[in-house]
Structure formats: C-alpha cells, structure tokens
Amino acid sequence: MRENHFDLLVVGAGPAGEKGAAQAAYFGKKVAIVEKKPAPGGAAVHTGTLPSKTLREAALYLSGHRNRDLYGIAVALEEDATLPRLMARKEAIIEAESATIVDNLRRHRIERVSGHARFVDPHTIEVEGGPTLTADNVLIATGSRPRRPPDIDFDDDQIHDSDEVLDIEKLPRSLCVLGAGVIGCEYACMFAALGTTVTMVDTRTEILPFLDQELIDRLRAAMAKLGVDLKRGRRWSNVRRDGDVVTVRLDDGSEIETEQLLFAAGRTGATEGLGLENIGLEPNSRGYLTVDEHYRTRLPHVLAAGDVIGFPALASVSMEQGRVAVCHAFGFQYKKTVAELLPYGIYTIPEVSAVGETEQTCEAKSIPYVVGRALYRNNARGKITGDLDGMTKLIVHTESRKLIGVHVIGERATELVHIGQAVIQLGATVDTFIDMVFNYPSLAESYKYAAYECLAGLARAEVHLEA
C-alpha cells in the first residue's frame, strides 16, 4: 500500500491543482493528482477562460470590429455562420494547453490518476474505477460550476449555462443574457460584435460594481454602441419556451422574446460527490469550502484553493493560492502569501483591466488622491489601431505621490495594466513614468501622459494646501 501513499494528493487538475502539485513536487515531495475529466486544465482550459477568449478573438477579427472606423472597409459575416466554424481554433488551443499541463506534471514526476475522487476518511481517497490512495496532505482544487436554478429548464436546447453556451450550433439571431457579471458581460459583447441582438438583464442597478465608476460608464457606453440592450435593476420571474421562442418575464410585467438564452448569474463550488460528509466538512450554501489564511479547512491537513473557495475566482489567483497552500502545508520557506494587489482582467469589447484603488474606494477610505487620464484618441498607436475610445487612468496619493490605482479600458488593457501593477507593487511614485522612456508609437506611452496630468493635479493640490 505504501506505493499508493503520497505526501500530497491533489483533487482536481485545474489552475490551482496543477500549480499546487508542481510546487510540492519541485521541493521533492511525492505527489499524485486525480482528475475526473479525460484531460487536465479544468474549466479554465476546457469550458471557460480559453474557449471564450477564442470566441472573442474570432468576433473581433471576423466582424472587423477593430478596424470598423478605418480604411472605409465594412466586413459582414456569412448568414449561415456557425459557432463551430467561428471557433475552429478552439480545440487546437485546448489540446495544446492540455499538452503543456501534462508535460509540466510529467517533468515534476507527478502521478496522474483518472477518475472521480471521494473521501473515505481524512487521509484516504478512493477513485471510482481506480485505486484507493492515502496521503499525509490533501489539496481540494475541484473548481466551480455554473449555478442552475431549479425553475429554469437547462435540458432545453435553447437555454444554456456558461459552460454550454459555446456548444450552440448556429449563431443566434437574438440572445438574452441573465446576469451582468463578468461572464455575462463578456458573452454579451462577443455575440453582439458578431451581429446577434443581445438583451442583458441584471438585478443590480450597476454592472461590475467593483470597477472604478468611470470605467463602468465607459464600458456601458461601448456595450450600447455594440447594440447590447442592458436592463438594470430588473428581476426575471419566469423563463419558458414557446415553440422556437424563449420568453423571459420580468418583474415589471414586460417580456423578452429571444432565440437563445444564457443564464450567467453566479457559480457554485464543485464539491458534490467528494464524500466530504465522511471527513466532517460541509460546504456553505453556495457549495464553497471555508479556509483560513493558509488555505486550510477545518482539518489542518486538508487544504482547498481556487474557485472551490469562492472569491475572487480568477485563474491567475487560483494558481498562486495552490502554490501558497502547499508551501504552508509543508513549511517550505518560499511563497507565504498571495499578493494583496490583484489585477482584474475583463475580456469584454473593449477590454477592461484594473488594479489597486478606485476613486470610490479612495473616497470611502478618506485617501487624498489625484487622477490623471490619457485617452487613446490622443495616442499615436491608438490612432493607428482605430481604438479612439480607450483610456489609461492613474490614481496617485496626493501626499506620498505614490501610484495607488491603475484602470485601463481599450485595446490590450489586460496587458497594459501590469506596467502600473509593477510600479504599485514596488511602492514607486508617479514620477517613475515621467523618467521612463516608452516605445513610440505604443499604447504604453499613455502612462507618461496620464502621469503628466497627475503632476498637474499634484501641483494644484499643493497650491491649495499652501493657501
């Protein structure tokens, strides 16, 4: 039985599981990873992050969205366009990324076990159709799944959750999206760019409320320009299928008729069937596991990381959580915490990315600040690419001159934000951008001009204090 005993047993081969397993193996621990799907990668690779971004790139390229205001060229999709044809690269990308993960596990000599894992006792896991494994430490990294309210018929081939929506065969003429969170907003933009009439409904009065309000306003305007009809502060009371039409009834009595429906209002932890009752662990009402600052559950040797513990549920953060959890479990003097400074990347059209304080959080915390903006329309690269609505926004502490927030909307936002993130992480001042030399033409150069505006604000603040 000792050959089936491991220092670490990982359940789930998504971002948190893969990186946690590799971290332990790197330091010489005997590790096995159990995955019930045929290939590793989790939802990030197979149903969520990578497939949806593939559709986004197809939407931008095939619709001519990036160049619609340039060269006087109009691009139209074929009337019989299908999602499988639009996403022809999806399977190749998934296969390549899965192969990369498999190679990473192989290089670290991590034993891969296929099947559904279930706890028998706190140190023993049986794998359906496979071996029974024991371990000193267990990392639960099973991720999450779309929430499915019982009053919505997901067996209907015109009603989908976010894992299924990319299985739609024909590009729909109309789509209703219930839920205006990150996933809902991303899909609403993608389908709208492809010519689908999109209606999005959310119970909240504002979309993506964790963002800086100015970015929210700009994103809403961009979505409206794409043709997304956003209904905020509305609840849906009934979803039914009438022939080939899905009808959504709202709380004000109005109805939305649509060809296809996407329910994207929340996710739940993928903890069912793990036998947690056999070890005295109980997920919360949303299926998520509760952990301490070291990612330990109520049982110190049973760890959990990634989407299965809930917020922020970002693949990038899940990877770090897996690494940090394992370092604490074995006492490795390596990674002790996940960085507090977490960037958000939202792949709407246009992209949105942010890190650090917003104007609203500064006001709530009574932090003195100034703001600097640089618009893409004033940037040479922005003019070349045709993205005239983008913006780089900096938030700087008035007294220390330190950069404390970066907010970018527009082309390459999710890449550009990391320049500012590095400056914040290092505790540097806005003067850093003044001293730097940026490539010309480049969107990154927008940092320098946003910094100049910050300097003007700092000068005005200094005059005000002296007065």
Side-chain angles (χ1 to χ4, degrees):
M1 287 294 293
R2 295 304 298 176
E3 67 181 25
N4 284 342
H5 182 81
F6 298 87
D7 298 313
L8 176 68
L9 182 58
V10 180
V11 182
E18 179 211 352
K19 302 307 181 187
Q23 187 74 88
Y26 177 83
F27 283 104
K29 298 300 180 181
K30 183 182 179 184
V31 182
I33 189 165
V34 183
E35 171 58 54
K36 66 180 182 180
K37 298 292 186 182
V45 171
H46 295 281
T47 59
T49 306
L50 296 190
S52 66
K53 305 315 172 276
T54 302
L55 176 61
R56 182 182 186 275
E57 287 304 309
L60 288 170
Y61 178 77
L62 297 172
S63 69
H65 178 82
R66 283 195 175 106
N67 299 320
R68 62 184 180 179
D69 294 326
L70 300 177
Y71 316 123
I73 296 174
V75 179
L77 285 172
E78 298 174 2
E79 288 189 8
D80 62 345
T82 64
L83 283 186
R85 286 175 60 196
L86 294 177
M87 298 183 63
R89 294 179 61 238
K90 182 189 77 166
E91 294 305 323
I93 291 169
I94 289 173
E95 184 177 338
E97 189 65 14
S98 291
T100 298
I101 296 170
V102 168
D103 184 61
N104 188 38
L105 299 176
R106 178 192 58 77
R107 286 187 294 104
H108 285 88
R109 299 181 180 178
I110 296 165
E111 183 168 334
R112 292 175 58 206
V113 182
S114 297
H116 180 82
R118 183 175 179 275
F119 280 95
V120 176
D121 63 45
H123 289 276
T124 306
I125 283 180
E126 61 180 12
V127 180
E128 184 179 359
T132 296
L133 310 172
T134 60
D136 296 330
N137 295 280
V138 180
L139 172 61
I140 301 173
T142 48
S144 65
R145 58 180 175 78
R147 186 169 73 90
R148 285 187 157 202
D151 58 341
I152 295 181
D153 182 12
F154 288 96
D155 290 331
D156 191 308
D157 61 5
Q158 289 180 230
I159 298 175
H160 316 276
D161 64 29
S162 57
D163 280 359
E164 297 177 336
V165 67
L166 296 182
D167 293 331
I168 295 175
E169 178 66 25
K170 193 174 188 308
L171 189 64
R173 291 185 299 274
S174 59
L175 174 71
C176 178
V177 180
L178 299 184
V182 171
I183 294 173
C185 287
E186 288 182 345
Y187 277 120
C189 289
M190 294 175 206
F191 279 97
L194 289 167
T196 298
T197 299
V198 177
T199 304
M200 187 162 61
V201 183
D202 198 273
T203 58
R204 294 170 295 185
T205 57
E206 191 55 275
I207 64 170
L208 310 178
F210 54 88
L211 291 176
D212 186 270
Q213 186 62 50
E214 187 173 1
L215 261 69
I216 295 173
D217 294 341
R218 284 179 171 268
L219 178 59
R220 273 198 284 102
M223 292 172 72
K225 190 175 180 181
L226 277 174
V228 176
D229 181 8
L230 174 59
K231 299 182 183 300
R232 295 179 285 161
R234 297 284 178 82
R235 293 186 179 275
W236 48 90
S237 58
N238 180 261
V239 176
R240 67 182 188 275
R241 168 84 173 269
D242 300 311
D244 291 331
V245 176
V246 177
T247 302
V248 180
R249 186 173 179 82
L250 302 183
D251 55 3
D252 63 356
S254 63
E255 292 188 339
I256 300 168
E257 293 186 347
T258 183
E259 180 181 323
Q260 302 279 350
L261 181 134
L262 166 61
F263 185 87
R267 296 180 69 85
T268 61
T271 48
E272 64 284 347
L274 290 178
L276 297 179
E277 66 278 3
N278 295 331
I279 60 173
L281 289 184
E282 184 177 357
N284 65 19
S285 60
R286 296 296 294 271
Y288 296 124
L289 293 174
T290 301
V291 295
D292 65 13
E293 68 276 14
H294 295 157
Y295 300 97
R296 298 176 299 194
T297 66
R298 192 180 60 79
L299 300 177
H301 76 285
V302 178
L303 316 162
D307 286 16
V308 75
I309 65 173
F311 181 85
L314 300 169
S316 55
V317 178
S318 295
M319 295 177 189
E320 293 302 296
Q321 289 175 343
R323 293 179 176 118
V324 170
V326 166
C327 286
H328 280 293
F330 292 105
F332 301 147
Q333 297 304 308
Y334 185 52
K335 294 185 73 71
K336 290 300 183 182
T337 61
V338 175
E340 292 184 10
L341 199 61
L342 302 178
Y344 287 96
I346 304 170
Y347 294 86
T348 43
I349 300 174
E351 283 183 29
V352 176
S353 198
V355 65
E357 302 289 352
T358 67
E359 287 198 65
Q360 290 69 47
T361 59
C362 284
E363 290 164 4
K365 298 174 184 178
S366 298
I367 298 173
Y369 71 95
V370 296
V371 170
R373 302 171 182 82
L375 303 178
Y376 282 21
R377 69 168 62 97
N378 297 326
N379 175 278
R381 188 64 177 270
K383 293 185 178 78
I384 292 168
T385 63
D387 184 356
L388 305 182
D389 297 322
M391 177 185 71
T392 299
K393 177 177 180 178
L394 309 181
I395 297 180
V396 171
H397 195 290
T398 305
E399 297 168 359
S400 67
R401 301 172 70 91
K402 287 184 177 180
L403 182 69
I404 57 175
V406 178
H407 308 275
V408 187
I409 181 169
E411 187 80 3
R412 305 300 178 195
T414 55
E415 302 286 350
L416 285 173
V417 75
H418 294 302
I419 298 172
Q421 180 188 8
V423 171
I424 298 175
Q425 188 81 30
L426 293 171
T429 69
V430 67
D431 303 281
T432 302
F433 299 123
I434 304 300
D435 295 337
M436 289 174 66
V437 176
F438 292 91
N439 283 328
Y440 177 86
S442 69
L443 293 173
E445 191 189 23
S446 63
Y447 273 96
K448 183 180 288 285
Y449 291 94
Y452 280 133
E453 191 171 291
C454 286
L455 294 189
L458 289 170
R460 288 193 296 270
E462 191 174 317
V463 169
H464 176 73
L465 288 174
E466 289 176 354

